[in-house]
Amino acid sequence: GKKTWNKKSTIPKGPPPTAPTDLAEQILRILLQYPLLARELNVEHKRLILASAKKRSDKAMHLMEDLIQQCEAMPPNVGFAVFQEQLEKTALAKSYAILRERIMSTELTEDVAKEDFEGTIKKLEQLDLKDQMTEIAARISSGQAEDVDKALYRQLMAKLK
C-alpha cells in the first residue's frame, strides 16, 4: 500500500528570539562588511543601536561600541580585507572572527546592506517609540500622567503611523 504523507508543521521549542537581539546582530554583521555606514549614524541612531546591543548582553554592547569606533577610525575608501586586518589587531579580535564566519555564508551587496541597515534603524526607532508609549500608558492608567504625557503620547502615535 501507498503511504500517505501527513505534513506536520514543526513547532520550534522554546520562546522565539526577540527582535532587538536580532537587530543588534544584523547591525554588527552589516558594519563588519560595510564600515562606511557607521559614519552616517547620528547620535540618536548610535544610542538606539547601543541600547539594542545592551538588551542582548554587556558583551554585545561592548563589541558594538568598539565596532562603531573602528568603523569611524577607518579611511573612507578602505576595502573589506584591510578593515578585517585592522579588526584582527584589536582586543576583540576573537569576537570579530566569529562574526566574520557568520557573515561569510551570506553575501551582502552594498545596496542590500544599506537598505537592511536603514530598515533595522527604523525598527529600532519604532521599538523605542513603543517603549516610550508603554511607559506613558502606564502613567496614564495609574492616574499619574500629566497633560504633557498625553500630548507626547499623541506625538508618538503620529510618528508610529
Side-chain angles (χ1 to χ4, degrees), residues 16-105:
T18 54
T21 306
D22 299 344
L23 296 176
E25 167 111 2
Q26 185 88 356
I27 286 184
L28 282 169
R29 289 179 184 204
I30 293 170
L31 289 181
L32 196 62
Q33 293 175 83
Y34 299 104
L36 276 181
L37 291 172
R39 291 167 178 255
E40 296 166 20
L41 291 173
N42 61 35
V43 175
E44 177 62 7
H45 288 162
K46 268 190 216 173
R47 183 188 71 77
L48 290 172
I49 287 170
L50 291 170
S52 77
K54 182 141 181 65
K55 277 182 192 169
R56 185 170 187 172
S57 68
D58 287 343
K59 192 179 168 192
M61 183 177 156
H62 186 57
L63 187 65
M64 186 73 81
E65 251 176 345
D66 188 70
L67 183 57
I68 290 174
Q69 283 170 0
Q70 297 292 341
C71 291
E72 289 172 341
M74 278 283 122
N77 55 355
V78 78
F80 179 75
V82 177
F83 186 52
Q84 300 312 312
E85 274 173 35
Q86 180 61 37
L87 294 178
E88 280 171 25
K89 296 174 189 149
T90 66
L92 297 169
K94 275 194 180 132
S95 300
Y96 289 128
I98 293 165
L99 261 178
R100 197 175 310 116
E101 274 173 36
R102 287 192 202 150
I103 60 173
M104 287 311 174
S105 57

Side-chain angles (χ1 to χ4, degrees), residues 130-143:
K130 285 178 184 161
D131 287 348
Q132 289 178 49
M133 287 174 73
T134 306
E135 283 172 29
I136 296 170
R139 285 201 293 272
I140 292 172
S141 66
S142 66

